[in-house]
Every structure is written in C-alpha cells, then in structure tokens.
C-alpha cells in the first residue's frame, strides 16, 4: 500500500514538474513585441469626438453643408479602418467615421458602461450631432449593417437612405444560426492549442491600458484564425482575409452581445415591413455563408430594398474591391 502511494505521489510530482516546465517554456516561447495601439484616452494626436460625456475616435471628410453619410463598422468590437475607402464619397457627401463605444481606438470603459441599448443611443447622438436636424444616410458593414437595420426601427425619420453590407443576421433565429457556424470554426484541438498559445502571448502585452491584453488576445490571433479559417468564405478562394484593423474591443464586444435580449435581436428587423425608405443590401461574390442568398432574404423584409453583388470580393468588400463597392453605394445614394 505504501509503495503504491509512493508511486502515485511520484507520478503526480513528475506531472506537476512537466506542467510547470511546459508552462514556463511556452511563456518564454511566446515572448515578443505584441504591441497594442493607444486609444484616444492616451494618445492626444488621434482625431476625436466628445459626445454625451464619452470620447470617440472619429474623423470626418468633406463639406458639412453636403448630405451626411455616417459609416458603421463591424464587430461588435471592430473599427472603421477597412472602410476608409468610403472617404472618396466626400466629393459629394459629408462622410463621418467613428469607432463605436469601447471599440477600435475609442475610449475603453468597463462592461457595465457599454451595452446594446447604449450602442443605439450613441448612434442616435452621432446622427443628431452631424445631421443637425436633417435625415442622414447610413452605410453599415457586417455588425454595422445590423446596427443600421436596428436604427431604422429606433429612429426611422432620421434616416434618408441605408446601405447594409452583409449583415450576418437580422433576428434571434438568424443570430443562433450564425453563432452555430461560428462555433464550428472555433473548436477542436487546433483551436484549443491556438487559444492556449495566444493566451500566453497576451500575457506579454503590458500596455497602454488595462484592456490591452484581452484586446490583443481576441483581436489578433483569435480573430485572424476565424476570418482565415479554411472553411470560412469571408475571403475569396486562394486569398487571405487581410482587411486592416487597429484594435479590437473585447470587453465591448462581449458586453454588447450578452446584453442583447431575444426581443432586442428580433427588433433588428421587426420594423422592416413598415420602413418605406430606400435600402441597399450588398453581398460579396465569394461569401457563400452570409452572401447573396442570405442578403436576398434580408432584402425581402423591406418594401423598398434592392440587392447588389460585389464581384471579386469577400466579406471585406470595401477593402477587397473598393471600386465596385463605391460605385454601388454612390449610384444608390445618388438616385
């Protein structure tokens, strides 16, 4: 009995030593320059907008006297870097870009200071600030398209025209279906190893703020693994998903998704049949997951909607094929 206990204790001791050595080795192996850029809270050179007691990373292009176009980026948690080609619209429009609350290079806040209702309220404040009482145009990509659709029910009179570029879902059932496919990509031994290694990499991120480590973890290795998964058609065959992003907002992404109830999700398009304004849905040619078939279903919810497919592009259509994407948007807004 004593011999068996000694063998067990020795085995456990060896395993503990192996684990310690393994963790120390992995920590050392993942050392490196895992830089995360500062937000407007720490970098005074960044363009900003202070509104309702919060500081957004934001910039505008064009003449404020022209019709206003407000650009809504993806995520939640992303930024507007891959959408900056839309600034070419500034010859005819006043184009507004902003990183949503807790995202991109906007100020970081705790989870209890960012949620789905606040995201809509922020958009409403942006619309009022730049629209100055006149209806604006919205151009939303991915999650930004979902947010734009929700806003058409939240404040329909404040929007003239809306462009929704590949929103992944417009109701609770759609979200569940999207989440199921997402989970199928982000599972299995290879993903677990990636998550473990990335977790150690994130421990080497020392600043510029308390959110930097988690923003790196999700926004760099995890997000790259998702967008470039071999089964994910976010990119065209043989090409990488290489749309730029400055910084992911992990806390904001998690808080917004967890705070959206089933009723909130269904409300994203519950108003659609009653919204008579023009809506353009954009789909990318290469995206067989949330591309043309799904966007056709989304467009059918609206009485005054049309669908355009962007050739030679994946989900990041404004980055992959800016010429065709801009032509579609400009043609729609100019009608």
């Amino acid at each position: 009995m004593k011999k068996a206990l000694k063998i067990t204790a020795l085995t456990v001791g060896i395993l503990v030593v192996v684990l310690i050595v393994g963790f120390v080795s992995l920590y050392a192996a993942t050392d490196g320059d895992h830089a995360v850029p500062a937000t407007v809270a720490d970098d005074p050179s960044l363009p900003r907008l202070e509104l309702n007691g919060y500081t957004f990373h934001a910039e505008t292009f064009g003449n404020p006297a022209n019709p206003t176009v407000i650009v809504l980026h993806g995520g939640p948690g992303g930024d507007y870097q891959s959408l900056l080609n839309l600034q070419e619209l500034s010859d005819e429009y006043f184009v507004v870009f902003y990183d949503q609350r807790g995202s991109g290079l906007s100020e970081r806040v705790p989870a209890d200071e960012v949620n789905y209702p606040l995201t809509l309220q922020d958009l409403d404040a942006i619309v009022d600030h730049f629209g100055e009482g006149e209806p604006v145009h919205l151009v939303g990509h991915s999650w930004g398209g979902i947010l734009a659709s929700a806003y058409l029910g939240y404040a329909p009179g404040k929007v003239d025209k809306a462009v929704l570029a590949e929103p992944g879902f417009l109701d609770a059932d759609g979200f569940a279906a999207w989440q199921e496919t997402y989970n199928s990509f982000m599972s299995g031994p290879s993903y677990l190893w990636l998550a473990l290694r990335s977790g150690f990499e994130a421990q080497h991120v020392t600043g510029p703020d308390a959110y930097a480590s988690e923003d790196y973890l999700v926004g760099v290795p995890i997000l790259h693994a998702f967008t470039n998964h071999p089964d994910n058609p976010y990119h065209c065959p043989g090409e990488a998903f290489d749309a730029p992003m400055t910084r992911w907002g992990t806390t904001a992404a998690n808080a917004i998704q967890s705070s959206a109830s089933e009723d909130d999700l269904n409300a994203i398009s519950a108003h659609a049949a009653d919204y008579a304004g023009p809506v353009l849905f954009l789909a990318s040619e290469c995206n067989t997951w949330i591309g043309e078939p799904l966007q056709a279903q989304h467009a059918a919810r609206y009485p005054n909607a049309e669908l355009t497919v962007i050739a030679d592009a994946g989900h990041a259509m404004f980055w992959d094929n800016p010429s065709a994407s801009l032509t579609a948007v400009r043609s729609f807004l100019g009608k």
Side-chain angles (χ1 to χ4, degrees):
M1 181 69 176
K2 289 183 179 179
K3 184 177 181 180
L5 289 174
K6 287 182 179 180
I7 293 174
T8 300
L10 179 61
T11 302
V12 171
I14 292 173
L15 287 174
V16 170
V17 171
V18 169
L19 285 173
I20 292 174
V21 171
F23 276 91
V24 171
S25 299
L26 190 54
Y27 182 81
T30 55
D31 192 13
D33 183 16
H34 308 304
V36 174
T39 71
V40 290
D42 295 307
D43 185 350
S45 69
L46 291 171
R48 67 195 59 222
L49 170 67
E50 295 184 7
L51 201 60
N52 291 349
Y54 179 80
T55 306
F56 295 92
H57 174 231
E59 55 188 318
T60 62
F61 299 87
N63 186 344
N66 288 334
T68 299
V69 173
I70 295 176
V71 180
L72 306 175
H73 64 70
D79 65 18
Y80 61 76
Q81 293 305 301
S82 67
L83 304 176
L84 275 171
N85 285 316
L86 285 161
Q87 68 182 276
E88 292 188 22
L89 297 173
S90 62
D91 59 340
E92 297 181 84
Y93 302 93
F94 182 56
V95 186
V96 178
F97 297 88
Y98 76 103
D99 287 340
Q100 295 156 29
R101 181 180 293 253
S103 302
L105 299 183
S106 285
E107 180 184 7
R108 290 297 181 270
V109 291
D112 60 358
E113 294 182 25
V114 55
N115 53 48
Y116 175 73
L118 267 176
T119 303
L120 275 174
Q121 293 169 26
D122 284 343
L123 174 54
D124 193 46
I126 296 279
V127 168
D128 287 345
H129 179 78
F130 290 106
E132 297 182 340
E134 296 295 326
V136 304
H137 302 310
L138 297 180
V139 178
H141 174 249
S142 195
W143 153 254
I146 296 167
L147 183 59
S149 179
Y151 190 74
L152 294 181
Y154 185 89
K158 296 182 181 181
V159 181
D160 187 359
K161 296 179 181 178
V163 178
L164 311 184
E166 280 193 346
F169 57 86
L170 293 182
D171 57 25
D173 287 343
F175 173 70
W178 187 93
Q179 192 69 48
E180 182 179 3
T181 302
Y182 172 87
N183 290 341
S184 72
F185 297 150
M186 310 305 282
S187 61
S190 60
Y191 173 70
L192 291 176
W193 168 245
L194 169 70
L196 177 63
R197 181 180 177 85
S198 300
F200 276 90
E201 282 184 6
Q203 299 310 306
H204 295 286
V205 177
T206 57
D209 54 58
Y211 298 87
S213 180
E214 66 176 19
D215 287 356
Y216 172 85
L217 172 63
V218 178
V220 180
I222 300 298
L223 189 62
H224 181 271
F226 165 66
T227 55
N228 284 283
H229 191 283
D231 296 329
N232 186 350
Y234 266 30
H235 49 88
C236 292
E239 299 180 7
F241 185 94
D242 60 355
M245 185 180 68
T246 53
R247 180 172 171 177
W248 184 260
T250 300
T251 292
N254 294 339
I256 290 169
Q257 291 186 74
S258 64
S259 62
S261 66
E262 183 174 343
D263 287 342
D264 289 331
L265 294 171
N266 286 327
I268 292 169
S269 60
H271 63 279
D274 300 320
Y275 183 76
V279 180
L280 172 65
F281 283 86
L282 295 180
S284 61
E285 181 182 35
C286 297
N287 196 343
T288 56
W289 174 17
I290 59 171
E292 184 177 4
L294 180 61
Q295 300 313 317
Q297 294 176 31
H298 289 168
R301 298 170 183 257
Y302 288 87
N304 190 13
E306 57 187 274
L307 171 64
T308 296
V309 178
I310 306 301
D312 300 321
H315 185 56
M317 60 191 71
F318 294 105
W319 178 257
D320 292 345
N321 192 342
S323 177
S325 300
L326 284 164
T327 295
V329 172
R330 192 183 290 275
S331 175
F332 172 72
L333 295 181
K335 291 181 180 179

